[in-house]
Structures are given as structure tokens and as C-alpha cells.
Amino acid sequence: MADKKIKIAYLYLLITFCAWGSLYVVSKYVMGKIPVFTVSFLRGIIAGATLFIILRKRNPKKIEYQDYKYVLFIGFAGYFLSSAVQFLGTKLSNASLASLINSMNPITITIFAAIILKEKLTVVKVICIASALSGVFIIAGDVDGSGKALGILASIFSIVLWSFASVIIRQITQKYDSFQITVYGILIGAAFTLPVSVYEIAVASDIQFDWKVILSLIYMGLVCTGLAHVLW
């Protein structure tokens, strides 16, 4: 029974990584038409609104007062700041490079899990971390242009934020439904993004909405955000 659950968990993670991988390509296209924070807001509100409708039917447990700070942190750091910086990194560099940098997520999650959750940092994990860091350094070490360098830094900052939030998510979902925390986190992230998005739209000179952009945003919201974060 335990082996079956582990296999299902790996399947969920595989689907998640495929969805997140496609996000970089789609978001690169959309951000050529719409400003960064506006893309982040629309992505979040599409995912959050859809998932909230489903959540209402599940009769979610009420969040206790002392846990508000954790849910708020997950929404702010994980779903607002991390997503916005991730999009910025993709815009400044390119989709493939940002995606490769994002592969460092397991490294930072492992480190934070060892510090916060006291998970054992085995020799095998240390070797894997060293190998992954070496690979990222080889791939990203020779970067031409300050724009790409800033994009890499933004992408690294994004994965650090998301990894820290992931560990907090792991901790709080021992008490609450993971679907519930995901929905609340996405909606809180969208709320934080809204004021910046309004400012972007007010000062932007060229915003292009067409059917390709709309379909891309729906895909980013439902598949790359809603489905991926629930499975994660």
C-alpha cells in the first residue's frame, strides 16, 4: 500500500514538472504582450477562482487564528513574490535558461527541510545536491549580457522563496487539507499582485489582448498553476 502511494506521488510530481516546464515557454510569449505583474495576477485569479469553486464543495476546515501567519506567508512569498520574480527572470533571460535554473528547486527544498523540518541530510542527498549545483553552474556560468545575468539572479531568488514556502506548506498541511492551503495561497498571492498590476496597466503604452493571449492565460491559470500546485 505504501509503495503504491509513493508511485502515485512520483506520478503527481512528474505531471507537475511537465506543467511547470511548459509555463516558461507560454509565459515568455504572453509577457511580450502583457506586463509581468499583470500576467502573474491573471494567472493567479483564473486558477484561484476555479479552485475556490471546487473547494466550497469540500467543506474545508476553518483556519485557526494562530495559523493565519503561515497561510499569509505562503500566499505572499510563495504565490505572489516568487511567481512575480520568476516571470521577471524569464523575461530578462529566456524560457529554457529560467527552466533550467528552476531545476535547483529540489536542492533548496532539501536544505530548508533539513533546517526547518529536521529531515535527515544523508550522504546521497549531499552528493545529489553537489552534482545538481555543478550542472547548473556549467549551464548558466557562461552568460552574455547583464540582462541575462539579472534574469538568472531573479530566477534563483524565486526558487529560494518557493522552496522556503514549500517547506512551510509541507508543515501546515499536516494539519489542514493541502488543496485548501493551495487555494488560499493562490488567492492571497493574487490579492497582493493586484495593486501592482493596476499600476502597470495605468502606465503601459502597449498592451495586446487577443485570443492567443487569452487561451495562454487560461492554460497558465488552470494547468500550470491550478493543477500543478494541487498535485505538488
Side-chain angles (χ1 to χ4, degrees), residues 6 30 40 59 62 67 87 113 118 127 144 164 169 198 205 228:
I6 291 173
V30 175
S40 185
N59 193 25
K62 184 178 180 180
D67 295 326
F87 282 144
K118 308 302 180 184
I127 293 173
D144 296 324
F164 189 30
I169 290 170
V198 170
S205 58

Side-chain angles (χ1 to χ4, degrees), residues 4 8-9 19 32 35 54 103 127 133 142-143 147 157 162 167 190 207 214:
K4 184 178 180 181
I8 292 173
I54 300 173
S103 65
I127 293 173
L133 285 173
D142 184 20
V143 178
F157 183 51
W162 175 248
V167 173
I207 296 179
I214 293 171

Side-chain angles (χ1 to χ4, degrees), residues 30-78:
V30 175
M31 284 185 295
K33 311 282 187 177
I34 303 173
V36 173
F37 283 91
T38 302
V39 172
S40 185
F41 169 73
L42 293 173
R43 168 204 185 195
I45 202 66
I46 290 171
T50 304
L51 295 177
F52 185 74
I53 294 171
I54 300 173
L55 178 65
R56 290 290 298 273
K57 299 178 181 179
R58 294 167 65 105
N59 193 25
K61 179 181 178 181
K62 184 178 180 180
I63 303 294
E64 296 178 9
Y65 178 77
Q66 66 270 20
D67 295 326
Y68 283 173
K69 58 182 178 292
Y70 299 115
V71 179
L72 187 64
F73 175 82
I74 290 168
F76 176 78

Side-chain angles (χ1 to χ4, degrees), residues 14-27 86 95-96 98-99 102 219 224 228:
L14 179 61
I15 296 171
T16 299
F17 292 141
C18 290
W20 278 345
S22 66
L23 172 66
Y24 293 93
V25 178
V26 178
S27 65
Q86 171 199 317
S96 57
S99 179
N102 191 61
Y219 175 79
C224 303

Side-chain angles (χ1 to χ4, degrees), residues 67-216:
D67 295 326
Y68 283 173
K69 58 182 178 292
Y70 299 115
V71 179
L72 187 64
F73 175 82
I74 290 168
F76 176 78
Y79 291 95
F80 163 56
L81 197 54
S82 175
S83 295
V85 175
Q86 171 199 317
F87 282 144
L88 182 61
T90 303
K91 186 177 181 68
L92 291 174
S93 56
N94 55 59
S96 57
L97 185 56
S99 179
L100 287 168
I101 297 297
N102 191 61
S103 65
M104 289 176 61
N105 249 319
I107 301 172
T108 48
I109 289 175
T110 301
I111 294 171
F112 282 129
I115 296 171
I116 299 172
L117 302 179
K118 308 302 180 184
E119 291 187 0
K120 188 176 181 182
L121 196 59
T122 63
V123 174
V124 173
K125 287 183 179 180
V126 172
I127 293 173
C128 291
I129 288 171
S131 300
L133 285 173
S134 300
V136 172
F137 178 78
I138 291 169
I139 293 169
D142 184 20
V143 178
D144 296 324
S146 59
K148 284 190 177 181
L150 287 173
I152 290 173
L153 289 175
S155 296
I156 292 174
F157 183 51
S158 171
I159 65 168
V160 170
L161 285 171
W162 175 248
S163 298
F164 189 30
S166 292
V167 173
I168 303 301
I169 290 170
R170 169 97 179 264
Q171 192 174 32
I172 200 170
T173 50
Q174 303 301 313
K175 188 174 182 180
Y176 301 101
D177 180 16
S178 58
F179 185 84
Q180 175 186 11
I181 298 302
T182 298
V183 176
Y184 291 167
I186 290 174
L187 289 174
I188 291 170
F192 276 112
T193 313
L194 178 58
V196 190
S197 173
V198 170
Y199 173 77
E200 275 187 335
I201 293 173
V203 300
S205 58
D206 184 24
I207 296 179
Q208 302 175 40
F209 272 104
D210 55 39
W211 67 270
K212 291 182 180 179
V213 170
I214 293 171
L215 288 178
S216 297

